[in-house]
Amino acid sequence: MSDNIDTTKDVGRARRRRTAIAATILAGIAPAAAAQSVDCGAAGIGARFSEATRMCAAVTPAAAPVATAVAVAEPANVSVSMPGYRRRLAAAVGQVRRRGGSSAPDALVVAIGRQYRIDPHLLSAMVATESAGNPNAVSRKGALGVMQVMPGTARSMGVRDPSALLGNRPLALATGARYLKHLQGRFGNNVPLVVAAYNAGPGAVQKYRGVPRYRETQGYVRDVMGRYAAGRGAAAGAAPGAAQ
């Protein structure tokens, strides 16, 4: 009987030892498991759980950096101010009228002007100023036809053989009108600047931020704009219902 009691005691002590060891192991595992499954929501953290609060603060992702807007200066537009322009235009119109006025655009000029959405009176004024309407005109610099288009410009407008502009009035007018439309896309509806760019090149207009101070270009713009204004004025005066 005594042997059985001793054996039972030994078994009890062994069970208590195993239970203590298991409790120690579980006590070491519990914090790691808690770190992996901790609830960082507002409901999972109480004020008394300071350790959990520190743990959640450690795993909270850093706030994303806030993008800072950078102001970029817009490019300055080309100035269109032309001191004394109205006075010079009035003088040019008077000069055109003294020479007999400005002839009305013919049917071909009207058709091409409408095709490229260019005022036929402007196209007619440029023909008169560039070549006096001579379809075989060739300038000292090599400009060709009624619109005096340079060979390189003609090629850029799709004309493979620039010499075809000579004697071919429809082709020369269409090429010049196409180039005018190209310049209008760059300088807008400011007609003096477009006309100046046709004569001196768009780079010169950009450089001077207006009509270049070249004697030839200044005279050219004055003549074209004078003929243009006179032609529009004559057309307005001849329109039905115009004041007598």
Side-chain angles (χ1 to χ4, degrees):
M1 185 70 178
S2 138
D3 292 340
N4 290 338
I5 292 173
D6 291 341
T7 303
T8 301
K9 289 180 179 179
D10 291 340
V11 171
R13 281 196 295 271
R15 285 178 178 173
R16 285 194 296 274
R17 244 191 333 269
R18 286 197 297 272
T19 301
I21 292 171
T24 302
I25 294 173
L26 289 175
I29 294 174
Q36 293 178 356
S37 61
V38 64
D39 180 7
C40 291
I45 301 177
R48 66 182 182 276
F49 298 126
S50 59
E51 184 65 28
T53 303
R54 286 196 299 273
M55 186 182 300
C56 287
V59 299
T60 301
V66 179
T68 303
V70 178
V72 179
E74 295 184 357
N77 293 328
V78 175
S79 171
V80 297
S81 61
M82 301 173 63
Y85 170 72
R86 293 183 182 277
R87 175 178 51 79
R88 293 196 299 272
L89 178 60
V93 171
Q95 186 177 9
V96 170
R97 288 174 176 168
R98 285 193 295 273
R99 290 199 302 256
S102 177
S103 59
D106 61 29
L108 180 60
V109 170
V110 171
I112 291 178
R114 287 176 177 172
Q115 178 183 352
Y116 290 96
R117 303 188 66 174
I118 294 173
D119 190 331
H121 293 287
L122 176 60
L123 207 55
S124 181
M126 294 190 70
V127 167
T129 304
E130 288 283 359
S131 65
N134 180 4
N136 295 305
V138 180
S139 74
R140 293 190 302 272
K141 296 180 180 179
L144 307 169
V146 291
M147 290 291 286
Q148 291 290 278
V149 181
M150 294 296 291
T153 301
R155 292 189 187 94
S156 71
M157 294 295 108
V159 179
R160 293 183 179 180
D161 180 12
S163 65
L165 297 176
L166 293 175
N168 190 336
R169 194 164 176 263
L171 178 61
L173 280 169
T175 304
R178 193 177 302 123
Y179 185 47
L180 273 175
K181 201 66 181 176
H182 169 76
L183 295 172
Q184 183 188 27
R186 183 163 180 176
F187 296 106
N189 291 323
N190 189 285
V191 178
L193 286 188
V194 173
V195 171
Y198 191 94
N199 176 262
V205 173
Q206 191 75 34
K207 175 183 176 181
Y208 283 94
R209 304 179 68 81
V211 176
R213 293 189 292 273
Y214 306 149
R215 179 178 298 178
E216 176 189 338
T217 302
Q218 293 278 339
Y220 177 82
V221 172
R222 182 178 59 249
D223 290 347
V224 170
M225 295 306 298
R227 287 187 169 100
Y228 177 41
R232 285 174 61 87
Q244 300 297 321

